[in-house]
Amino acid sequence: MTKKVAGLNARRVQTETKPGYHCDGNGLYLQVSSTGTKSWIFRFKSPITEKTREMGLGSTTTLSLALARERATLQRRILLDGLDPIDTRKASRLERKTAAARLLTFEQAATQCIAAKRHEWTNAKHADQWTSTLKTYAYPVVGALAISAIDTAAVMQVLEPIWVSKAETASRLRQRIEAVWDWSKARGYVDGENPARLRGHLDKLLPKTAKVKRVQHHPALPYGDINAFTQLLQMEKGVSPLALEFLILTAARTGEVIGARWGEIDLHAKVWTVPADRMKGKREHRVPLSTRATEILTALKGQAEPRPEMFVFPGWKSGTSLSNGAMLALLKKIERADITPHGFRSTFRDWASERTAFPNETVEQALAHTVKNQVEAAYRRGDQLEKRRKLMDAWAQYVAAKPKSVASSEF
């Protein structure tokens, strides 16, 4: 029995057993949905799986019967070659997608790479540092190039101008370009060897960084001047001077101090416990607090009991900590821009080495340095808290004493 369908050749149309399907012949069907929408379907037996498959060709609103027949004819030609039309179409779409992806610029790839890696970085500043380095040195040279066009010559064009003059920056820049390229390769945007890899590649073209790099230590205050400096510091008002003095007394890093929260402080036990996620070595660090360090905390605490999540050294905006540059700004204000907050760790280290007999292991633990020797690290179980308490008390006494009245300490 035949049934007329608008626009179809009635002589070639027959009612299908499948509801809503109307055959035009040679595998072409008009599909009418329960809501009344109409589309063209090509039904065929896959030469690969020998199963019947259905391939959508398009809606009747955009594809006429004549065009639908042409498309069905194209699919039958693919079948003659022993290929599955659906698999062939998927492969073609993937190829076009890959070709388009290869036009992704280096800057676009880097932006996506940074966004993907942001979740693995514990410090939010890493994303800013990556972006800043690439924006300053890489984007002006290769930012607009397709990521697939980045080769050794392009990488060298970025690195060579600063490889010697800014060795540390250039080394980090190379690592970031290498990471962006590896990310792009994992996404299928590029293939082959990474043009920014160092070992066995760029190390044959560029001078060794160890020979051109000069380690620049943070400018530090001589330990003999520490008393005069802290007296000057105590004349200043505000949170920054207290934070800097606390940093000096604890030999801690800037980020550890400004990120300190009241929940980490035990005034009764006189211990500050810095959680692992805020430590450079990713290990919890207990800091014994001297009397003066405790006095600073008591002054900041005031009459009210602060909530555990509140910052010990708050910023000017509610709920924020002291900014990363606050101590640097303070040093500039008191005309000591020649030194840095981090340099006070060197001041403490020099004092401990030259004026005391505390074991090197105890001093290194006070600085929360990572033990590079794996055997030594395996046997070092405790954190020598009580030994370090004596060390930090001695340091606090030295900081508070007049230089002439400080005799050589032997502990």
Side-chain angles (χ1 to χ4, degrees), residues 226-245:
I226 193 66
N227 173 261
F229 178 83
T230 52
Q231 285 186 356
L232 180 65
L233 202 59
Q234 289 169 3
M235 294 173 64
E236 296 295 319
K237 304 294 184 183
V239 176
S240 296
L242 292 173
L244 184 53
E245 187 178 358

Side-chain angles (χ1 to χ4, degrees), residues 36-68:
T37 58
K38 301 174 182 178
S39 59
W40 300 108
I41 301 293
F42 178 67
R43 299 185 74 189
F44 64 95
K45 186 177 182 180
S46 172
I48 310 299
T49 64
E50 296 188 353
K51 292 182 179 180
T52 300
R53 304 188 74 182
E54 295 184 356
M55 181 179 183
L57 299 180
S59 169
T60 58
T61 58
T62 55
L63 206 64
S64 66
L65 174 60
L67 288 176

